[in-house]
Amino acid sequence: VPAAWQRPYLNIFKHFRVEEWKRSAKEGDVAALTDTRLKGTIYRIRGSNPASSYLQLPRAGTQSLGLTGRYLYLLFRPLPRKHFLVHLDVTTEDNQVVRISFSNLFKEFKSTATWLQFPFVCGAASEGTARRGATGAAPADVRWTCLVLDLPSVLALYLSRRYSHLRGVKLCCNLLVKNLCTSDLLFEPGVTLSEARLADLSSRGVAPMPRELAFPVPKGEKWHDLYDYIRFPSEGSKVPCDCIRKSFPSPVAGDQVLEEPGRPLTQPVTLSRAVCDRLSLVHHITSPKAVSAPW
């Protein structure tokens, strides 16, 4: 269970004051920019070599973030027509450090006792390429993405290890990054606070996306029409997948619950079809035009 200072979520960039570069490190072409569409600061990491351009937390490799939240949220956009790379160092309950890497450079999944490498399929308005599972440079129309990594389940599924905490993060070129966050809550984009209350999502460990972590949605638009949402491992799956990719169509999970061996969950971590139906009903009740739920 996360310490009190990590609940209900921890905004990593804000907490560690990334912009001051005292508790974080940068190398190469890393710049803080103001994004008018996202209405805030983003970080652009670009370069020809992942080893030469990156943003790293914590600053020293001998230190640890010590973040225990189950889910890691990365709000990012791959640079169009480029390859990117992300490294996550996590610590198991028996103090083994495991590196989890994902990139659209990787052609296939590779695994050792201390390193998991996942190909990342960039989503875009053109879904055909992602359906075929083709990795490669990000397409020109690649979207901003909310990637949700269930770290205990990744370790349990792929290495049969038990998760302790997130030790470090290294964001390599070529990326735009809005934020990083850890939490034990499953944040669902495109759902308002009132809808969540009416559907009683809190009883299932699900909550609306906090404002400071959310992508803006113009009036009359829908979140899922503008951005990509990827959960990994995918909802309800107990079969390891060999790449990180968006589900098509947008997932509506069943009532299955993914449990880590030796660490049973007390709350479901997927939205059931029944909950989605209730959300759909909420939309009909609260919307003057009876808009259906955003799935």
Side-chain angles (χ1 to χ4, degrees), residues 99-242:
R99 170 158 285 190
I100 300 171
S101 301
F102 57 92
S103 172
N104 56 345
L105 269 171
F106 300 154
K107 301 298 183 185
E108 60 184 18
F109 169 70
K110 292 183 179 179
S111 145
T112 71
T114 58
W115 199 351
L116 297 172
Q117 298 180 21
F118 295 99
F120 186 97
V121 178
C122 291
S126 53
E127 299 179 358
T129 300
R131 283 184 189 275
R132 292 191 296 271
T135 58
D141 55 354
V142 64
R143 293 172 170 176
W144 278 93
T145 298
C146 176
L147 174 63
V148 188
L149 294 175
D150 184 343
L151 297 176
S153 291
V154 170
L155 287 185
L157 274 174
Y158 295 92
L159 292 176
S160 298
R161 308 296 283 270
R162 297 181 66 174
Y163 177 72
S164 173
H165 60 272
L166 177 65
R167 177 182 173 84
V169 177
K170 193 171 187 178
L171 307 170
C172 304
C173 60
N174 290 285
L175 290 173
L176 299 174
V177 183
K178 183 178 187 291
N179 218 330
L180 275 169
C181 162
T182 56
S183 179
D184 265 356
L185 292 174
L186 181 60
F187 295 127
E188 191 72 24
V191 177
T192 67
L193 186 61
S194 59
E195 290 165 359
R197 286 173 178 164
L198 284 168
D200 194 26
L201 296 189
S202 62
S203 67
R204 304 178 61 84
V206 179
M209 191 71 74
R211 183 183 298 270
E212 63 182 299
L213 302 175
F215 292 135
V217 179
K219 191 172 182 179
E221 300 276 359
K222 291 184 180 181
W223 194 99
H224 290 278
D225 291 338
L226 303 173
Y227 309 108
D228 283 343
Y229 180 71
I230 301 174
R231 279 181 57 191
F232 187 81
S234 59
E235 296 88 336
S237 173
K238 293 188 178 183
V239 179
C241 179
D242 61 358

Side-chain angles (χ1 to χ4, degrees), residues 244-295:
I244 300 176
R245 57 184 288 183
K246 182 181 177 182
S247 299
F248 295 106
S250 294
V252 178
D255 282 316
Q256 295 168 292
V257 178
L258 182 62
E259 294 188 0
E260 179 187 357
R263 187 175 171 178
L265 302 178
T266 57
Q267 297 173 320
V269 297
T270 61
L271 283 181
S272 69
R273 192 174 298 275
V275 171
C276 291
D277 290 343
R278 292 181 67 185
L279 272 175
S280 180
L281 177 61
V282 168
H283 273 267
H284 279 277
I285 293 172
T286 59
S287 171
K289 294 184 180 181
V291 179
S292 61
W295 280 274

